């Protein structure tokens, strides 16, 4: 098995962040949709909500760390053969994904902080994660909760669409254009020739 050309590829830290966040986000979607499908009276719902909240906060922390890493470690440039519209689309998709990776955990945090049930978030069952004080003590908690829930739902669907386009574009580069774009992020692939 031939490894990719490392001079135009992402490093081990960037790859780890990318795939750890990607797997975590896909897990979040699965757990989130399953939680929504279960009746609220199901005893599994509480455990799933705590898991969902812990994983969401972990994703937020990982994204912050990834951006800090990226600030000091620039990403490889896009291939020269890519037309301007495609470069723009790739950059826009990445910005949209980063925005979603912030908006989803933050809107979830607002929902939890505004919830009338006032259930604490136990971060991985160890640390009690604080509610957002300005939301938790607001006289308009219901408005906060409803707005955050709306944002959360819209961003989930927008993120799913963007992830689908991102994956489709990567597969297009690998199988149709036969260039190195996907191989830069998948260590065991080599560009198709």
């Amino acid at each position: 098995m031939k490894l990719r050309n490392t001079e135009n590829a992402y490093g081990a830290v960037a790859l780890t962040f990318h795939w750890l966040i990607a797997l975590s986000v896909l897990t979040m979607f699965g757990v989130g949709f399953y939680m929504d499908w279960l009746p609220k009276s199901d005893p599994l719902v509480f455990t799933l909500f705590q898991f969902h909240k812990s994983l969401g906060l972990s994703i937020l922390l990982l994204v912050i760390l990834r951006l800090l890493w990226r600030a000091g470690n620039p990403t490889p440039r896009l291939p020269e053969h890519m037309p301007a519209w495609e470069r723009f689309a790739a950059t826009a998709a990445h910005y949209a994904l980063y925005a979603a990776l912030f908006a989803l955990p933050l809107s979830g945090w607002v929902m939890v902080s505004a919830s009338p049930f006032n259930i604490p978030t136990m971060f991985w069952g160890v640390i009690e994660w604080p509610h957002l004080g300005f939301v938790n003590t607001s006289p308009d908690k219901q408005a906060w909760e409803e707005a955050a829930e709306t944002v959360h739902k819209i961003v989930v669907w927008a993120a799913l669409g963007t992830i689908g386009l991102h994956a489709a574009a990567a597969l297009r580069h690998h199988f149709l254009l036969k260039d190195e774009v996907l191989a830069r992020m998948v260590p065991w692939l080599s560009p198709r020739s």
Side-chain angles (χ1 to χ4, degrees):
M1 180 182 319
K2 185 179 174 186
L3 293 176
R4 76 213 186 302
N5 178 357
T6 56
E7 70 186 28
N8 194 29
Y10 290 88
V13 174
L15 287 170
T16 302
F17 276 130
H18 178 273
W19 290 111
L20 193 55
I21 291 168
L23 291 172
S24 297
V25 167
L26 293 176
T27 301
M28 285 294 281
F29 287 139
V31 170
F33 285 121
Y34 185 60
M35 280 180 347
D36 238 14
W37 177 77
L38 285 174
K40 297 294 181 228
S41 59
D42 191 306
L44 186 57
V45 168
F46 178 80
T47 303
L48 289 174
F49 264 97
Q50 288 294 342
F51 175 81
H52 190 76
K53 293 187 290 184
S54 292
L55 188 54
L57 291 168
S58 297
I59 290 169
L60 180 61
L61 296 173
L62 283 170
V63 170
I64 291 168
L65 291 173
R66 181 179 181 174
L67 288 174
L68 290 172
W69 172 261
R70 188 172 176 166
N73 298 277
T75 60
R77 291 185 326 178
L78 292 170
E80 295 296 324
H81 70 272
M82 285 178 66
W85 70 266
E86 197 171 355
R87 289 170 181 271
F88 174 80
T91 301
H94 280 102
Y95 281 120
L97 288 171
Y98 277 118
L101 290 171
F102 278 102
L104 287 170
L106 292 175
S107 60
W109 194 359
V110 170
M111 281 191 291
V112 169
S113 300
S115 172
F117 301 114
N118 206 30
I119 298 170
T121 297
M122 294 305 296
F123 187 60
W124 297 116
V126 177
I127 300 167
E128 185 173 337
W129 193 272
H131 290 311
L132 292 167
F134 67 94
V135 175
N136 191 248
T137 58
S138 170
D140 298 321
K141 282 174 74 167
Q142 185 177 355
W144 277 102
E145 185 179 29
E146 289 171 1
E149 186 175 357
T150 299
V151 167
H152 205 72
K153 287 180 179 178
I154 290 169
V155 175
V156 161
W157 290 107
L160 278 170
T162 306
I163 289 167
L165 288 172
H166 179 68
L171 293 172
R172 173 182 168 263
H173 276 277
H174 191 68
F175 291 105
L176 296 179
L177 301 179
K178 300 179 190 289
D179 63 21
E180 76 279 3
V181 169
L182 181 60
R184 297 180 335 161
M185 193 51 81
V186 182
W188 59 86
L189 285 181
S190 60
R192 295 174 63 86
S193 50

